[in-house]
Short mmCIF file of all heavy atoms in Angstrom, two decimals:
data_model
loop_
_atom_site.label_atom_id
_atom_site.label_comp_id
_atom_site.label_asym_id
_atom_site.label_seq_id
_atom_site.Cartn_x
_atom_site.Cartn_y
_atom_site.Cartn_z
N LEU N 65 -217.39 70.82 89.27
CA LEU N 65 -218.77 70.84 89.77
C LEU N 65 -219.38 72.23 89.60
O LEU N 65 -220.53 72.37 89.19
CB LEU N 65 -218.80 70.42 91.24
CG LEU N 65 -218.44 68.96 91.52
CD1 LEU N 65 -218.79 68.59 92.95
CD2 LEU N 65 -219.14 68.04 90.54
N ARG N 66 -218.60 73.24 89.93
CA ARG N 66 -219.12 74.60 89.78
C ARG N 66 -219.38 74.90 88.32
O ARG N 66 -220.33 75.60 87.96
CB ARG N 66 -218.12 75.60 90.37
CG ARG N 66 -217.88 75.38 91.84
CD ARG N 66 -217.16 76.55 92.50
NE ARG N 66 -216.79 76.22 93.88
CZ ARG N 66 -215.54 75.95 94.27
NH1 ARG N 66 -214.54 76.00 93.40
NH2 ARG N 66 -215.29 75.65 95.53
N PHE N 67 -218.51 74.37 87.49
CA PHE N 67 -218.69 74.58 86.05
C PHE N 67 -219.97 73.92 85.58
O PHE N 67 -220.75 74.53 84.82
CB PHE N 67 -217.49 74.01 85.30
CG PHE N 67 -217.57 74.21 83.82
CD1 PHE N 67 -217.36 75.47 83.27
CD2 PHE N 67 -217.86 73.15 82.98
CE1 PHE N 67 -217.44 75.66 81.90
CE2 PHE N 67 -217.93 73.34 81.61
CZ PHE N 67 -217.72 74.60 81.06
N TYR N 68 -220.23 72.72 86.02
CA TYR N 68 -221.46 72.03 85.63
C TYR N 68 -222.67 72.84 86.08
O TYR N 68 -223.69 72.89 85.40
CB TYR N 68 -221.52 70.63 86.25
CG TYR N 68 -220.40 69.72 85.80
CD1 TYR N 68 -219.99 68.64 86.56
CD2 TYR N 68 -219.73 69.95 84.59
CE1 TYR N 68 -218.94 67.82 86.14
CE2 TYR N 68 -218.70 69.14 84.17
CZ TYR N 68 -218.30 68.08 84.95
OH TYR N 68 -217.29 67.27 84.54
N GLU N 69 -222.53 73.46 87.23
CA GLU N 69 -223.63 74.28 87.73
C GLU N 69 -223.83 75.51 86.84
O GLU N 69 -224.96 75.83 86.47
CB GLU N 69 -223.32 74.71 89.16
CG GLU N 69 -224.48 75.45 89.81
CD GLU N 69 -224.21 75.69 91.29
OE1 GLU N 69 -223.26 75.07 91.82
OE2 GLU N 69 -224.93 76.50 91.90
N ASP N 70 -222.73 76.16 86.48
CA ASP N 70 -222.82 77.31 85.58
C ASP N 70 -223.51 76.92 84.27
O ASP N 70 -224.28 77.69 83.70
CB ASP N 70 -221.42 77.84 85.26
CG ASP N 70 -220.80 78.57 86.45
OD1 ASP N 70 -221.54 78.88 87.41
OD2 ASP N 70 -219.59 78.82 86.42
N GLU N 71 -223.23 75.71 83.85
CA GLU N 71 -223.79 75.24 82.58
C GLU N 71 -225.21 74.71 82.73
O GLU N 71 -225.78 74.17 81.79
CB GLU N 71 -222.89 74.14 82.00
CG GLU N 71 -221.50 74.61 81.66
CD GLU N 71 -221.50 75.64 80.55
OE1 GLU N 71 -221.95 75.31 79.45
OE2 GLU N 71 -221.05 76.78 80.79
N GLY N 72 -225.73 74.81 83.93
CA GLY N 72 -227.11 74.39 84.13
C GLY N 72 -227.32 72.89 84.20
O GLY N 72 -228.42 72.39 83.95
N LEU N 73 -226.29 72.15 84.55
CA LEU N 73 -226.42 70.70 84.61
C LEU N 73 -226.86 70.23 85.99
O LEU N 73 -227.38 69.14 86.15
CB LEU N 73 -225.08 70.05 84.27
CG LEU N 73 -224.69 70.14 82.80
CD1 LEU N 73 -223.21 69.84 82.63
CD2 LEU N 73 -225.51 69.16 81.99
N ILE N 74 -226.63 71.06 86.97
CA ILE N 74 -226.92 70.67 88.34
C ILE N 74 -227.19 71.95 89.13
O ILE N 74 -226.68 73.00 88.77
CB ILE N 74 -225.74 69.87 88.92
CG1 ILE N 74 -226.16 69.06 90.13
CG2 ILE N 74 -224.57 70.78 89.24
CD1 ILE N 74 -225.07 68.09 90.57
N ALA N 75 -228.01 71.88 90.15
CA ALA N 75 -228.35 73.11 90.86
C ALA N 75 -228.58 72.86 92.35
O ALA N 75 -229.71 72.84 92.82
CB ALA N 75 -229.59 73.74 90.23
N PRO N 76 -227.51 72.69 93.10
CA PRO N 76 -227.61 72.43 94.54
C PRO N 76 -228.19 73.64 95.27
O PRO N 76 -228.14 74.76 94.77
CB PRO N 76 -226.16 72.21 94.95
CG PRO N 76 -225.37 72.98 93.94
CD PRO N 76 -226.13 72.82 92.65
N LYS N 77 -228.77 73.37 96.41
CA LYS N 77 -229.27 74.48 97.23
C LYS N 77 -228.09 75.14 97.92
O LYS N 77 -226.96 74.66 97.84
CB LYS N 77 -230.26 73.94 98.25
CG LYS N 77 -231.45 73.28 97.57
CD LYS N 77 -232.64 73.13 98.48
CE LYS N 77 -233.87 72.76 97.63
NZ LYS N 77 -234.89 72.05 98.43
N ARG N 78 -228.40 76.23 98.59
CA ARG N 78 -227.33 76.95 99.29
C ARG N 78 -227.65 77.08 100.76
O ARG N 78 -228.82 77.21 101.15
CB ARG N 78 -227.16 78.35 98.69
CG ARG N 78 -226.83 78.39 97.22
CD ARG N 78 -225.47 77.76 96.95
NE ARG N 78 -225.11 77.90 95.54
CZ ARG N 78 -224.09 78.64 95.13
NH1 ARG N 78 -223.34 79.29 95.99
NH2 ARG N 78 -223.81 78.70 93.84
N LYS N 79 -226.61 77.05 101.53
CA LYS N 79 -226.74 77.40 102.95
C LYS N 79 -225.77 78.54 103.12
O LYS N 79 -224.56 78.34 103.31
CB LYS N 79 -226.33 76.21 103.82
CG LYS N 79 -226.44 76.48 105.31
CD LYS N 79 -225.97 75.26 106.08
CE LYS N 79 -225.80 75.59 107.57
NZ LYS N 79 -225.19 74.45 108.30
N GLY N 80 -226.29 79.73 102.97
CA GLY N 80 -225.40 80.88 102.90
C GLY N 80 -224.84 80.87 101.49
O GLY N 80 -225.60 80.89 100.52
N LEU N 81 -223.55 80.79 101.39
CA LEU N 81 -222.93 80.69 100.07
C LEU N 81 -222.67 79.24 99.69
O LEU N 81 -222.75 78.86 98.54
CB LEU N 81 -221.62 81.47 100.05
CG LEU N 81 -221.72 82.98 99.86
CD1 LEU N 81 -220.34 83.59 99.79
CD2 LEU N 81 -222.49 83.29 98.57
N ALA N 82 -222.34 78.45 100.68
CA ALA N 82 -221.94 77.07 100.45
C ALA N 82 -223.00 76.24 99.75
O ALA N 82 -224.20 76.35 100.04
CB ALA N 82 -221.57 76.43 101.78
N ARG N 83 -222.55 75.41 98.84
CA ARG N 83 -223.46 74.53 98.11
C ARG N 83 -223.81 73.30 98.93
O ARG N 83 -222.95 72.68 99.54
CB ARG N 83 -222.79 74.08 96.80
CG ARG N 83 -222.62 75.19 95.80
CD ARG N 83 -221.71 74.77 94.68
NE ARG N 83 -221.67 75.76 93.62
CZ ARG N 83 -220.94 76.85 93.67
NH1 ARG N 83 -220.20 77.11 94.73
NH2 ARG N 83 -220.96 77.71 92.67
N ILE N 84 -225.09 72.98 98.93
CA ILE N 84 -225.57 71.78 99.61
C ILE N 84 -226.19 70.86 98.58
O ILE N 84 -227.21 71.17 97.98
CB ILE N 84 -226.65 72.15 100.66
CG1 ILE N 84 -226.10 73.16 101.66
CG2 ILE N 84 -227.14 70.89 101.36
CD1 ILE N 84 -224.96 72.63 102.49
N TYR N 85 -225.55 69.70 98.39
CA TYR N 85 -226.02 68.75 97.39
C TYR N 85 -226.94 67.71 98.01
O TYR N 85 -226.59 67.08 99.00
CB TYR N 85 -224.84 68.06 96.72
CG TYR N 85 -223.98 68.99 95.90
CD1 TYR N 85 -222.95 69.71 96.51
CD2 TYR N 85 -224.20 69.16 94.54
CE1 TYR N 85 -222.15 70.57 95.76
CE2 TYR N 85 -223.41 70.03 93.79
CZ TYR N 85 -222.40 70.72 94.40
OH TYR N 85 -221.62 71.58 93.67
N SER N 86 -228.10 67.53 97.40
CA SER N 86 -229.05 66.51 97.87
C SER N 86 -228.68 65.16 97.26
O SER N 86 -227.76 65.06 96.45
CB SER N 86 -230.46 66.89 97.44
OG SER N 86 -230.57 66.74 96.03
N HIS N 87 -229.44 64.13 97.62
CA HIS N 87 -229.22 62.81 97.06
C HIS N 87 -229.50 62.81 95.56
O HIS N 87 -228.82 62.15 94.79
CB HIS N 87 -230.09 61.78 97.77
CG HIS N 87 -229.60 61.43 99.14
ND1 HIS N 87 -228.67 60.46 99.37
CD2 HIS N 87 -229.86 61.98 100.35
CE1 HIS N 87 -228.40 60.38 100.66
NE2 HIS N 87 -229.12 61.31 101.28
N ARG N 88 -230.49 63.58 95.19
CA ARG N 88 -230.80 63.67 93.76
C ARG N 88 -229.69 64.36 93.00
O ARG N 88 -229.35 63.98 91.88
CB ARG N 88 -232.12 64.44 93.56
CG ARG N 88 -233.35 63.59 93.80
CD ARG N 88 -234.51 64.12 92.99
NE ARG N 88 -234.19 64.19 91.57
CZ ARG N 88 -235.04 64.57 90.64
NH1 ARG N 88 -236.27 64.90 90.97
NH2 ARG N 88 -234.69 64.61 89.39
N ASP N 89 -229.13 65.39 93.63
CA ASP N 89 -228.00 66.07 92.99
C ASP N 89 -226.85 65.09 92.78
O ASP N 89 -226.21 65.07 91.73
CB ASP N 89 -227.54 67.23 93.87
CG ASP N 89 -228.55 68.36 93.94
OD1 ASP N 89 -229.29 68.55 92.94
OD2 ASP N 89 -228.62 69.06 94.97
N ARG N 90 -226.65 64.28 93.81
CA ARG N 90 -225.56 63.30 93.74
C ARG N 90 -225.80 62.30 92.61
O ARG N 90 -224.89 61.99 91.83
CB ARG N 90 -225.46 62.58 95.08
CG ARG N 90 -224.46 61.45 95.14
CD ARG N 90 -224.24 61.00 96.57
NE ARG N 90 -223.48 59.76 96.65
CZ ARG N 90 -224.02 58.55 96.60
NH1 ARG N 90 -225.32 58.42 96.48
NH2 ARG N 90 -223.26 57.49 96.68
N ALA N 91 -227.02 61.82 92.51
CA ALA N 91 -227.35 60.85 91.46
C ALA N 91 -227.21 61.51 90.09
O ALA N 91 -226.74 60.91 89.13
CB ALA N 91 -228.76 60.34 91.65
N ARG N 92 -227.60 62.77 90.05
CA ARG N 92 -227.51 63.50 88.80
C ARG N 92 -226.05 63.64 88.38
O ARG N 92 -225.70 63.50 87.21
CB ARG N 92 -228.15 64.87 88.97
CG ARG N 92 -228.22 65.69 87.73
CD ARG N 92 -228.85 67.03 88.02
NE ARG N 92 -230.29 66.96 88.11
CZ ARG N 92 -231.10 67.64 87.31
NH1 ARG N 92 -230.61 68.44 86.38
NH2 ARG N 92 -232.40 67.54 87.44
N LEU N 93 -225.20 63.90 89.35
CA LEU N 93 -223.77 64.01 89.05
C LEU N 93 -223.25 62.69 88.50
O LEU N 93 -222.47 62.67 87.54
CB LEU N 93 -223.00 64.39 90.32
CG LEU N 93 -221.48 64.43 90.15
CD1 LEU N 93 -221.07 65.41 89.05
CD2 LEU N 93 -220.79 64.78 91.47
N ALA N 94 -223.67 61.62 89.09
CA ALA N 94 -223.24 60.30 88.62
C ALA N 94 -223.62 60.12 87.15
O ALA N 94 -222.84 59.63 86.34
CB ALA N 94 -223.88 59.21 89.46
N TRP N 95 -224.82 60.56 86.84
CA TRP N 95 -225.30 60.46 85.46
C TRP N 95 -224.44 61.32 84.53
O TRP N 95 -224.03 60.91 83.45
CB TRP N 95 -226.76 60.89 85.40
CG TRP N 95 -227.27 61.11 84.01
CD1 TRP N 95 -227.28 62.29 83.33
CD2 TRP N 95 -227.82 60.14 83.12
NE1 TRP N 95 -227.82 62.11 82.09
CE2 TRP N 95 -228.16 60.80 81.92
CE3 TRP N 95 -228.07 58.77 83.22
CZ2 TRP N 95 -228.73 60.14 80.84
CZ3 TRP N 95 -228.63 58.12 82.14
CH2 TRP N 95 -228.96 58.80 80.97
N ILE N 96 -224.13 62.50 84.95
CA ILE N 96 -223.29 63.41 84.17
C ILE N 96 -221.95 62.77 83.87
O ILE N 96 -221.50 62.75 82.72
CB ILE N 96 -223.06 64.73 84.94
CG1 ILE N 96 -224.37 65.51 85.06
CG2 ILE N 96 -222.00 65.58 84.24
CD1 ILE N 96 -224.29 66.71 86.00
N LEU N 97 -221.34 62.24 84.90
CA LEU N 97 -220.01 61.67 84.73
C LEU N 97 -220.03 60.43 83.83
O LEU N 97 -219.13 60.22 83.03
CB LEU N 97 -219.41 61.34 86.10
CG LEU N 97 -219.19 62.57 86.98
CD1 LEU N 97 -218.62 62.18 88.32
CD2 LEU N 97 -218.27 63.57 86.28
N ARG N 98 -221.09 59.66 83.96
CA ARG N 98 -221.17 58.51 83.07
C ARG N 98 -221.38 58.96 81.64
O ARG N 98 -220.79 58.43 80.71
CB ARG N 98 -222.28 57.55 83.50
CG ARG N 98 -222.26 56.32 82.63
CD ARG N 98 -223.02 55.20 83.26
NE ARG N 98 -224.41 55.58 83.41
CZ ARG N 98 -225.21 55.11 84.35
NH1 ARG N 98 -224.74 54.27 85.24
NH2 ARG N 98 -226.43 55.48 84.41
N GLY N 99 -222.20 59.97 81.49
CA GLY N 99 -222.40 60.54 80.16
C GLY N 99 -221.07 60.93 79.55
O GLY N 99 -220.79 60.64 78.40
N LYS N 100 -220.25 61.56 80.36
CA LYS N 100 -218.93 61.97 79.87
C LYS N 100 -218.10 60.77 79.48
O LYS N 100 -217.45 60.76 78.44
CB LYS N 100 -218.20 62.76 80.95
CG LYS N 100 -218.78 64.14 81.20
CD LYS N 100 -217.71 65.05 81.74
CE LYS N 100 -216.58 65.14 80.74
NZ LYS N 100 -215.45 65.88 81.24
N ARG N 101 -218.13 59.74 80.32
CA ARG N 101 -217.31 58.56 80.03
C ARG N 101 -217.72 57.90 78.72
O ARG N 101 -216.88 57.32 78.04
CB ARG N 101 -217.43 57.55 81.17
CG ARG N 101 -216.67 57.95 82.42
CD ARG N 101 -216.43 56.75 83.34
NE ARG N 101 -217.66 56.13 83.80
CZ ARG N 101 -218.35 56.52 84.86
NH1 ARG N 101 -217.94 57.54 85.58
NH2 ARG N 101 -219.46 55.90 85.21
N VAL N 102 -218.98 57.98 78.38
CA VAL N 102 -219.40 57.37 77.12
C VAL N 102 -219.34 58.36 75.97
O VAL N 102 -219.83 58.08 74.89
CB VAL N 102 -220.80 56.73 77.21
CG1 VAL N 102 -220.83 55.73 78.34
CG2 VAL N 102 -221.86 57.79 77.41
#
Side-chain angles (χ1 to χ4, degrees):
Chain N
L65 292 192
R66 299 194 188 106
F67 182 73
Y68 298 156
E69 186 172 347
D70 288 346
E71 297 295 299
L73 288 163
I74 199 170
K77 299 198 167 156
R78 301 295 184 114
K79 180 182 169 186
L81 279 183
R83 291 167 173 81
I84 303 296
Y85 294 86
S86 70
H87 285 273
R88 280 207 56 178
D89 292 330
R90 175 168 169 273
R92 185 181 281 240
L93 175 58
W95 168 268
I96 293 170
L97 296 179
R98 185 163 62 208
K100 289 206 59 186
R101 286 198 299 274
V102 304

